[in-house]
Amino acid sequence: MQVTQSYLYGLDKQGFVDCQGHLLEKNTAAAFLTMQRAAVNDGIDLQICSAYRDFEKQLSIWNAKASGKRVLLNRESKPVSIGNLSSNELVNLILIWSAIPGMSRHHWGTDIDIFDGSRINREDLRLISSEYQTNGPCFELDQWLSIHAQDYGFYRPYQPLLSGVSPEPWHLSYFPVSAGYLEAYNLQSVKSVLESSDILEKETILAQLDSLINEYVIRVAPIPNC
């Protein structure tokens, strides 16, 4: 299978570098380390909990949720039983918090999930909105990022009413690189990748792939004016 720009779909990590145990695109890694040092000066321990994920890793997450082996959450972060769901309902439920493999920005090495290591342990982190809101352990980090993230080239692509993906205050994207990746994203390439995969609910996904890409890949918050 020949896929143009395969790194966009989690099939190639050439040129990525290690950043504190996580793989990142090299410019993203350098920018993150600079931002991390600045945060320390303001009493915040900025840490990565998730960065690059390849296609197979995202596929394992998707299939675990589609088969009921992993808990599914609704938009209020409450567990949902999948027993009586149609294929369409199941796909839409998974998409609230998890991307279809080949359609995750974590494939790019430009996007990271972050937390404040001085206020919560990685093992206790759930990546739910309340952790980043008032009285949550990552609230001060959230406020700091709102002011400073774009100074280092980062922004939140998943914001209320501006993205198909549910708001994720923990998700940052290095827009000097990711903006170009988004422009290069190609429907036919990801379709070819998915057709050759063993993803669960494949027929349902492929039948509406165009609209799914528009909603969950293309529709993100605009890049900030710098």
Side-chain angles (χ1 to χ4, degrees):
M1 175 182 62
Q2 293 294 324
V3 178
T4 303
Q5 297 172 303
S6 58
Y7 58 88
L8 295 176
Y9 317 103
L11 303 177
D12 186 357
K13 58 185 176 183
Q14 291 186 26
F16 286 8
V17 299
D18 179 85
C19 182
Q20 301 177 344
H22 301 275
L23 284 179
L24 288 176
E25 184 273 332
K26 62 180 181 180
N27 298 298
T28 305
F32 170 77
L33 293 173
T34 301
M35 182 171 65
Q36 185 184 56
R37 289 191 292 268
V40 167
N41 294 333
D42 289 332
I44 292 169
D45 182 18
L46 178 60
Q47 295 292 329
I48 298 173
C49 63
S50 183
Y52 169 74
R53 290 198 295 268
D54 64 15
F55 181 91
E56 289 303 320
K57 176 61 177 178
Q58 193 68 31
L59 179 65
S60 70
I61 293 171
W62 179 274
N63 282 352
K65 290 190 173 185
S67 62
K69 295 177 181 177
R70 189 164 174 165
V71 175
L72 282 180
L73 303 179
N74 61 19
R75 294 189 184 277
E76 289 72 45
S77 299
K78 304 297 183 182
V80 178
S81 173
I82 67 172
N84 297 317
L85 298 180
S86 68
S87 181
N88 270 321
E89 289 171 335
L90 178 58
V91 166
N92 288 331
L93 182 61
I94 298 173
L95 282 167
I96 292 175
W97 296 114
S98 294
I100 293 169
M103 294 169 58
S104 172
R105 293 175 70 103
H106 281 289
H107 292 331
W108 303 350
T110 59
D111 286 54
I112 54 178
D113 295 335
I114 49 81
F115 69 105
D116 187 342
S118 66
R119 291 170 173 81
I120 188 170
N121 295 324
R122 174 65 185 89
E123 294 75 20
D124 296 327
L125 187 70
R126 296 177 59 203
L127 288 183
I128 57 176
S129 297
S130 60
E131 293 173 327
Y132 296 78
Q133 296 169 351
T134 305
N135 298 323
C138 298
F139 177 67
E140 291 183 21
L141 167 61
D142 177 82
Q143 299 300 291
W144 190 90
L145 290 171
S146 294
I147 298 171
H148 299 291
Q150 72 180 60
D151 296 337
Y152 303 94
F154 290 93
Y155 93 118
R156 295 178 173 113
Y158 304 139
Q159 299 180 27
L161 305 179
L162 297 177
S163 61
V165 174
S166 298
E168 294 187 356
W170 54 83
H171 186 122
L172 298 180
S173 183
Y174 184 63
F175 58 79
V177 176
S178 64
Y181 287 1
L182 185 60
E183 289 183 4
Y185 196 86
N186 181 267
L187 169 64
Q188 292 305 316
S189 291
V190 73
K191 181 179 180 181
S192 177
V193 172
L194 289 170
E195 285 176 337
S196 301
S197 77
D198 59 354
I199 186 171
L200 297 180
E201 310 303 329
K202 182 189 293 188
E203 290 186 6
T204 298
I205 292 168
L206 291 176
Q208 52 187 320
L209 188 59
D210 196 353
S211 62
L212 290 173
I213 289 173
N214 285 331
E215 182 68 2
Y216 293 102
V217 179
I218 304 303
R219 190 165 83 87
V220 293
I223 291 170
N225 295 319
C226 298

